[in-house]
Every structure is written in structure tokens, then in C-alpha cells.
Amino acid sequence: MYQFDRAEYEKRMAWYTQARFGMFIHWGLYAIPARGEWVRSVEEIKKEDYMPYFEEFDPVDYDPRKWAKAAKAAGMQYMVLTSKHHDGFCLFDSQYTDFKSTNTKCGRDLVREFLEAGRAEGLKVGLYFSLLDWVHEDYPHYGDRNHPMRFNEEYQNEGRNFDNYLTYMHNQVRELCTNYGKLDILWFDFSYEDKYNVMRGEKWKATELVNMVRELQPEVIIDNRLEVSGDGFGSLWECDPKPYHGDFVSPEQIIPPNGIQDKEGNDMAWEACVTMNNNWGYCENDRFFKPASMLIKKLVECVSKGGNLLLNVGPDAKGNIPPESMEILGEIGAWMDKNSESIYGCGKAGMEKPDTGRITRKGDTLYYHLFENTIGPMPLMGVKKDEVQYIRSLATGAEVPFANSWVQGPYPDIVFADLGPDPVLPDPVDTVLKVQLK
Ligand code: GLC
């Protein structure tokens, strides 16, 4: 019977809930068709018609140190790279397949270089690993919910030996956990069910897999997608943790409206994974990038609700992060340079969200994130005057006086800050007041 060790779990999770902000990187052969990472499935491309991309792949500009520097400059504290996505292409030198980056023109172990670059920049490093594999003959084809050949009757599943596939999959996870040094995160993706199979939990031989992972990488943090996908929670949320329970919940392309609490109402670790445009993998015609101003506020929202933000970039076929993404990362970094204290190690404030923005908290320090100004002095909702030691501009450290104007007379129980005569806030995106409690 699996015994969940809460103390060990909290110790293992400490850096992760402190870090709050990470970079997701979706990269692989699909960057050549440049229509997103699901292109094989969406367009029902046969394996033989996808192979030309393998023959062609030659990321001449790949320089993961550049990626790591961009992540660090943006204030990100960890990075997660797709080591193998659903298309089955391995960005690492797996001994169990020829469908790998070391057999492409570049001849490079892209994962190894990525991990070394991330560590060199002082970042925590993780690998995404797809449980699905659309190139392996023993993975369900016809009738599967996602497989590119799911509708093609020529691809029946007689003779496919799923146990063979699991041996292959487990061996590759073993390779990643053995040959590449300390991994900080393993990001499995994803569990699902269709009319033929329930691809969850022990269908993946998840207990055996996780026991092996934890033996090789005792401190690694694992997501919840051996159990669910972005639309589920998992057994830790059920308060009935399985041996392969996710360490965090992984909402996808959404920020949980009220954060995430387990079935008994206890706050849980969670990480919203979000794309900058609308695709994880590089997509040439998807230029619908979210503005940096929006993403800064979304990072604040995640932290104010007790979660992390894993923000994705999809490098192109040559290995370059798109210029729009680099610009967004630069703007986020400029804000983080002055305000990261209100993000790292922060979480829920335990008080109502104010009209003017959001509040994050670290111990007895509150950070009021002002997305807009008020008319008159700024109300600091949720605190009493005799609780507040001082108010400071986080960006400059300057003292912010308590307001004491006649207009606030009717509201003696509310603390007001005097932001001065300028109706325009110093930071047009998010001006942070540091409110130190006694
Ligand atoms: C979904 C998509 C996958 C992507 C993942 C990121 O599972 O299928 O392409 O890697 O979301 O969370």
C-alpha cells in the first residue's frame, strides 16, 4: 500500500512553488511543416509522408544557451523542453530507436545540450515526455482518439503488442533519468480515454514507471498527466494519492478561477501552461501573440491564486525562438527586474481581490499589484491601519505615505495610500506597492 509522505513531498516541492515562473519549449520536426505540433494527427499524415521532415531537419541556429539566457532574463526560474512529443521523434540519443535527433543532419543530442545550457544559466531543468507515440507500431492506431491513422481502416490494431510499446516507453524514460544528470521536472503528457481504451494510470504501468523514475531521480517533480490531462486533477487532488500521483495539477490554456484546492479544501500546487500565441509548436501563420502586458498580469494572477505559470515558446525549424516571443520575454523581464520580489515565493494573500488589480503575499509582506489607478487615494483593502508598518514602491523602494485627505473621511476603517498628484501610475502595466505588516 502506497504511503504518501507529505513532509517529503513539501520538501521536494519547495523550489518549485518558490520559482512560480517557467518556460515551456515545444520543438521538433513539426517546426518544419510549421502548422503546430499536432499536424500529423490533424492532417492524418502517414508515417512515410512525415519522414521527409526527419531527413530534412537541420536546426543550424540551435543554441540552447540563447534560449536559457532569454528565459533567465525574463525572470523564469525553470525550463521544460519536449524530449519526445506525440510524433515520437526523440530529441535525444535513444538506443531504442533510429527516429532521433542524433540521426538527423545535425547529429546532435539536442536534449543534452539543452539541459547543460539551462544548468549553466542556473535554471532548474525539466523534460516533457509524451506517453503517446504515433510512430511506434505497437501503439494503437485505428480507432484511437488521437492517432493520425485513427480513421484509416488499413491501420487495424491486430498484432500490435501494447506491452512491447510500454517496454519501449519505459526504457526511454530510464535513458532520460540515467544519462542526462539531475532532472528537476518530468512532464508526462497525457492520459485519455476513447471507446476502446482507458489510457490512464496502470495502462501505462505507471507505478512501475514512477518507482523507476523516483529511484533514479529521487528529487524530481512529476506532473499529473500519468493520470489525467489538462482537463483533470488526479489522485493527489482526490486525497487518495496513487504511487504515480502527479505532484502538481496542470491546467492547460486556462487559469483556474479560484486556484486549485483538493477535495478536502486544501490549496494544491498547480501550474497553468499557456502558449504565447495559439500553438505549442511553431506555427508560421499564427501571429496572434498575447501582449507582454497581458502575460505579466496573468503571471500575477497565477501567483495570487497560489499557482505557477509555465509560458511556452515554439522555436522554428532552424532553432530560433520567434522574434515576437523574444520581444515579449524581454518586456516581461524588464518588469520582473523591478518586481520579481512580488512573484518569487509568493502566493495567495488570503483576502478579497481589490478592484484595482491583485494581491500576492509572502509571509507578513503584501504586494498590491495596481493595474489601474483610482479616483482619490488608493484604498488598500484587506488590511487595517494598525497592522501596517510601511508602504513602499516596490520598483524604487521609495516610501509611499499613508493618505490622510478629507475625501476618505467617511471610510475610517480603510487604509489609503497617497500615490501623489499624477493620475498616471508609474508602471503602465502593473505598479506594485509593497505593504509591510507589523
Ligand atoms: C496538450 C497537447 C500537447 C501539448 C500539451 C501541453 O496535451 O496535446 O500538444 O504538448 O497540451 O500542455
Side-chain angles (χ1 to χ4, degrees):
M1 176 66 183
Y2 175 68
Q3 281 304 318
F4 174 65
D5 180 339
R6 169 71 59 182
E8 185 279 330
Y9 168 75
E10 302 287 0
K11 183 165 170 285
R12 194 154 47 84
M13 295 298 284
W15 74 262
Y16 177 78
T17 48
Q18 188 280 341
R20 290 303 186 208
F21 190 28
M23 178 185 274
F24 214 172
I25 304 161
H26 279 70
W27 191 44
L29 300 185
Y30 42 77
I32 298 175
R35 300 190 294 275
E37 73 293 348
W38 271 67
V39 63
R40 254 212 81 190
S41 176
V42 170
E43 299 180 14
E44 301 174 38
I45 298 172
K46 290 184 177 175
K47 190 192 309 189
E48 55 268 27
D49 296 330
Y50 194 71
M51 280 308 157
Y53 298 133
F54 173 71
E55 301 307 329
E56 180 184 336
F57 188 66
D58 187 15
V60 290
D61 293 341
Y62 178 53
D63 178 355
R65 202 67 189 265
K66 266 192 204 160
W67 295 2
K69 286 181 187 299
K72 185 175 182 180
M76 294 162 157
Q77 299 217 18
Y78 61 103
M79 300 198 297
V80 180
L81 169 70
T82 50
S83 63
K84 181 180 90 168
H85 205 264
H86 310 332
D87 65 355
F89 174 66
C90 296
L91 282 73
F92 63 100
D93 187 17
S94 170
Q95 301 315 306
Y96 298 98
T97 180
D98 293 332
F99 194 46
K100 58 186 178 179
S101 61
T102 41
N103 283 357
T104 64
K105 281 179 185 162
C106 74
R108 294 161 72 174
D109 187 322
L110 304 171
V111 159
R112 184 176 304 287
E113 292 183 46
F114 165 80
L115 295 171
E116 287 168 358
R119 293 175 189 132
E121 290 299 320
L123 299 173
K124 297 286 191 180
V125 289
L127 295 176
Y128 165 114
F129 182 84
S130 174
L131 300 168
L132 292 65
D133 189 309
W134 296 333
V135 83
H136 199 285
E137 287 305 321
D138 287 319
Y139 196 91
H141 286 49
Y142 182 70
D144 176 75
R145 198 180 89 188
N146 306 299
H147 197 283
M149 298 298 105
R150 60 195 177 285
F151 302 127
N152 189 326
E153 295 195 353
E154 291 172 27
Y155 291 82
Q156 299 295 334
N157 297 314
E158 282 69 29
R160 295 194 201 286
N161 182 326
F162 194 64
D163 277 345
N164 282 351
Y165 168 68
L166 291 180
T167 301
Y168 171 78
M169 189 263 275
H170 283 222
N171 281 337
Q172 288 195 323
V173 173
R174 179 181 290 279
E175 286 183 305
L176 291 172
C177 291
T178 305
N179 303 333
Y180 292 90
K182 186 174 185 296
L183 301 179
D184 298 300
I185 295 174
L186 253 184
W187 217 101
F188 289 111
D189 188 38
F190 62 95
S191 290
Y192 64 95
E193 49 200 78
D194 56 35
K195 59 186 174 194
Y196 299 102
N197 289 303
V198 176
M199 309 295 269
R200 298 183 191 283
E202 291 307 346
K203 178 72 175 181
W204 306 117
K205 291 188 180 172
T207 298
E208 182 185 316
L209 182 67
V210 169
N211 286 346
M212 176 260 286
V213 167
R214 295 218 180 279
E215 193 179 314
L216 293 167
Q217 297 280 346
E219 294 176 21
V220 76
I221 290 172
I222 302 175
D223 72 328
N224 64 345
R225 295 194 179 190
L226 281 167
E227 303 181 278
V228 293
S229 183
D231 58 358
F233 294 107
S235 56
L236 195 56
W237 177 85
E238 299 278 353
C239 302
D240 174 24
K242 299 290 185 291
Y244 46 82
H245 68 76
D247 290 327
F248 61 87
V249 181
S250 59
E252 180 177 320
Q253 303 286 40
I254 191 169
I255 296 176
N258 299 309
I260 296 181
Q261 293 74 40
D262 66 22
K263 263 189 168 172
E264 292 168 1
N266 308 300
D267 284 325
M268 283 192 76
W270 58 270
E271 173 192 82
C273 52
V274 174
T275 54
M276 282 195 185
N277 52 9
N278 294 308
N279 281 273
W280 300 100
Y282 183 70
C283 189
E284 183 80 10
N285 63 13
D286 178 358
R287 311 323 287 183
F288 303 104
F289 287 87
K290 301 167 184 74
S293 57
M294 174 186 179
L295 290 168
I296 290 166
K297 290 174 185 170
K298 295 306 127 189
L299 172 59
V300 170
E301 180 176 353
C302 286
V303 176
S304 73
K305 294 177 177 177
N308 287 25
L309 174 64
L310 187 64
L311 184 58
N312 183 74
V313 296
D316 63 23
K318 295 177 77 174
N320 297 304
I321 292 175
E324 297 94 332
S325 296
M326 290 298 284
E327 195 177 324
I328 288 166
L329 290 169
E331 285 183 51
I332 295 174
W335 183 86
M336 284 290 276
D337 283 347
K338 295 183 177 302
N339 300 288
S340 61
E341 180 185 321
S342 68
I343 298 294
Y344 299 148
C346 292
K348 295 168 76 168
M351 52 189 66
E352 281 280 298
K353 174 192 175 307
D355 295 338
T356 50
R358 295 191 182 274
I359 309 172
T360 58
R361 178 175 203 145
K362 189 183 321 174
D364 57 7
T365 308
L366 294 166
Y367 300 93
Y368 283 73
H369 296 261
L370 310 181
F371 298 161
E372 59 179 279
N373 207 338
T374 59
I375 299 296
M378 176 62 70
L380 299 181
M381 305 307 286
V383 290
K384 295 186 180 62
K385 183 116 190 228
D386 61 4
E387 292 174 335
V388 179
Q389 190 178 336
Y390 60 68
I391 311 168
R392 296 287 182 272
S393 152
L394 183 60
T396 65
E399 182 177 27
V400 174
F402 291 97
N404 189 13
S405 72
W406 67 271
V407 298
Q408 66 194 75
Y411 319 105
D413 296 338
I414 296 178
V415 180
F416 289 85
D418 177 355
L419 299 185
D422 190 342
V424 179
L425 289 172
D427 188 313
V429 177
D430 175 10
T431 298
V432 185
L433 297 183
K434 176 175 180 174
V435 176
Q436 185 59 48
L437 300 180
K438 285 173 183 164

